[in-house]
Structures are given as structure tokens and as C-alpha cells.
Amino acid sequence: MRPVQTGRVKAGRLSSRGAFARLFGAELRRMLHSPWFIGTVAVAVALVAASAVLDYLSYSEWYGYARVALDRGEFYKSYGMQSRLAPMYWVGTDGKPFSALLYFLLPMLCLLPGAGTLVEDRGSGFQSHALSRVADGAYYCAKALACFVSGALIALIPLLLAIVFASLVGPWGTPDPNEVFAFGIPITLDTPFRSLFFTQPGMYLLCWSGTAALLCGLWSIAVLAVSLYAKSPVRLFIGSVLAQLLINYMSLSVNNMFFMGSNKTLDMFTVLHPLGYVSTSPSMTAIAVLIAIYSLIGILVPIISFKRRCYL
């Protein structure tokens, strides 16, 4: 580990707000124009589109059954068309495999554009050049802010696009709780933003999209902070994925031991998914805990590193 001069900005370093804004703009353009960002957004959008196609086929099939019954005069056979609404065909509430895959991949995809840039800068020598012009804190903050934006956009873009696709599949309306449960959509009392889903479904979709974007952005910053001690972007990425899998395993183990088999976990794979998976489900408590933990990691790790005047 090499000592790095920190503390007060020396003469000749750019410490103004204008310099910070230029550095942030350069980092953000670097991340948003990178093939990693474009590729990850393309993958996420492709999964959303594939899920929308399955939703459309499903809706068309049930509509065909209802139409045939109507033509036969069997008016009592509606096949639940009055409850097949757009909010139930949004990625995450539709129960399609591509939707589950999207939420499983998001914690990994959001890291690719920016979380490893500190390691790349050290390898290329750009970090030494940057720290000769700005304070280490300003350099890290500009990169962390850009990393947050890029990570959040990777979740926000496909989820907002999914709302448009859902609107094209089915009509808008307020879901009936009895019909939702009959369709097997696992919305329980612990489901985050549950009341909005049954009163203002559009707001529910926007709130969940924003929450997913916030979590992905903070998770990216947390990994960026840890990368102060990483030597390889590949190892950093693999270690981050393994950490989430370990958190999932430990959460389920603790739940089985102390909370009578509760299915609440703290891993990003589960918390990002609106309805969770077969054996795990998200909760508002888990969301709040992750926001606090990732914010603390993103703040405390660099502060401690800069105070000790050492990082790789």
C-alpha cells in the first residue's frame, strides 16, 4: 500500500466548485458513454421486452377465450378479463421468468459502468495525475456521484420502459385484491408499497422503480468505496457477487434459527424484486437497512482510508 498525501489542498490544485463540476462531468460522460453502460442497458431492456412479449401473448390468449365465450352467449365466462390490468403486466408483478432474471442480474449489471473505475485509474496512472490537480476527497466524491447516477440509470431506464410496455398490454385500472390473490400474485401485508398497488397502481410502479434505482446507485457506491483496496476489477466484481450470495445464505440461516423460518433477506437479488422469489421476499425494513448500510460504506470507507493516508 502506498501513502497518498491527503488533507488540505496544496497550491496549484484545483479546489473550486467549477473544477469539481468539470471532474464530475468528465467521470459521468466516461461511464455513460462506456460500452459497459450501453451493453448493460441493452441487456436489461431486452429482458423487459421479452417479458412484455410473454405478457402480450398471455393477455391475447385469455382475451380470445373471453371473446369466444361472449360469442356463444356465455356471458358468465369472463376469464377474469376485468382484472387483467396493466399494473399486473409490469415487469416484477407479471411473474414471468425474464422479469425474475432481470432483478437477479441488476445487482451485477449496475456495477459494470463505474464501480471498477478507481482500480482502472490506478492501473493506467490516471489517478496520480488527477490527485495532482484535485484533493483526494473531491476526486472520490466526483467519481462516486457519477457511479451512483450510472448505476441508478441502469435500473431506472428498463423499469420505466416496462411501465410503457405494460400500458400497451392491458388497460389501466385499480386491481381488486381478491382478483390479484386469485391470479396467484404474492402480494402480502409485508410487500413494500402494498397499499399503493391497490389504490394508486401507477404511483406504486414509479415508487418501486425509484427505490430500485436508489438501491442500485448506493450499491455501486459501496463497491466503489471497497475498490480503494482492490487490485483487479474482475476480482472486485466476482467478490461483490459472492458477497450478495453469502448475505442471502446467512440471512436465511439466521431466519431459520431465530425467526421461525422467516423468508426476509438482505441480499440485493431479493430486495430489488417487488414480489421476491419462491423462498425469499423483500420488505421495507430490508430496504431501509440496505440504504443505511451502503450509504455508510460509501462514506466511512473513504474517510478512514484518506485519514490513514493510505490506499492502493
Side-chain angles (χ1 to χ4, degrees), residues 120-241:
E120 295 174 356
D121 287 355
R122 285 197 297 272
S124 65
F126 177 79
Q127 178 176 279
S128 300
H129 171 73
L131 292 179
S132 67
R133 299 172 60 85
V134 297
D136 44 12
Y139 168 72
Y140 172 81
C141 288
K143 189 176 287 291
L145 185 58
C147 187
F148 174 85
V149 173
S150 64
L153 286 177
I154 287 176
L156 190 62
I157 291 174
L159 295 184
L160 292 182
L161 186 61
I163 298 178
V164 177
F165 288 161
S167 302
L168 298 176
V169 172
W172 273 96
T174 302
D176 181 270
N178 295 324
E179 295 289 346
V180 169
F181 299 146
F183 289 149
I185 299 179
I187 293 182
T188 66
L189 294 176
D190 295 329
T191 299
F193 311 115
R194 177 183 183 274
S195 60
L196 289 178
F197 185 80
F198 295 114
T199 56
Q200 296 177 301
M203 186 60 66
Y204 168 84
L205 303 185
L206 291 176
C207 285
W208 194 268
S209 299
T211 301
L214 176 63
L215 287 173
C216 285
L218 292 177
W219 166 237
S220 301
I221 291 180
V223 176
L224 179 74
V226 174
S227 74
L228 286 167
Y229 298 95
K231 295 182 178 180
S232 168
V234 176
R235 294 179 180 178
L236 176 69
F237 178 80
I238 295 176
S240 301
V241 175

Side-chain angles (χ1 to χ4, degrees), residues 23-109:
L23 181 59
F24 164 70
E27 290 291 342
L28 184 60
R29 287 191 297 272
R30 170 189 178 184
M31 295 178 189
L32 297 186
H33 293 170
S34 69
W36 290 114
F37 180 81
I38 298 173
T40 51
V41 170
V43 169
V45 169
L47 292 173
V48 168
S51 184
V53 170
L54 294 181
D55 290 331
Y56 174 77
L57 294 176
S58 175
Y59 184 87
S60 299
E61 180 181 7
W62 287 109
Y63 178 82
Y65 294 152
R67 186 66 183 180
V68 170
L70 183 62
D71 293 339
R72 293 176 178 175
E74 300 173 342
F75 303 103
Y76 57 90
K77 291 184 178 181
S78 64
Y79 293 94
M81 292 306 299
Q82 71 277 6
S83 300
R84 298 184 185 279
L85 305 172
M88 299 172 66
Y89 289 103
W90 180 67
V91 61
T93 58
D94 57 2
K96 295 298 184 289
F98 291 113
S99 300
L101 180 60
L102 170 67
Y103 286 103
F104 181 80
L105 292 178
L106 275 180
M108 295 176 271
L109 296 179

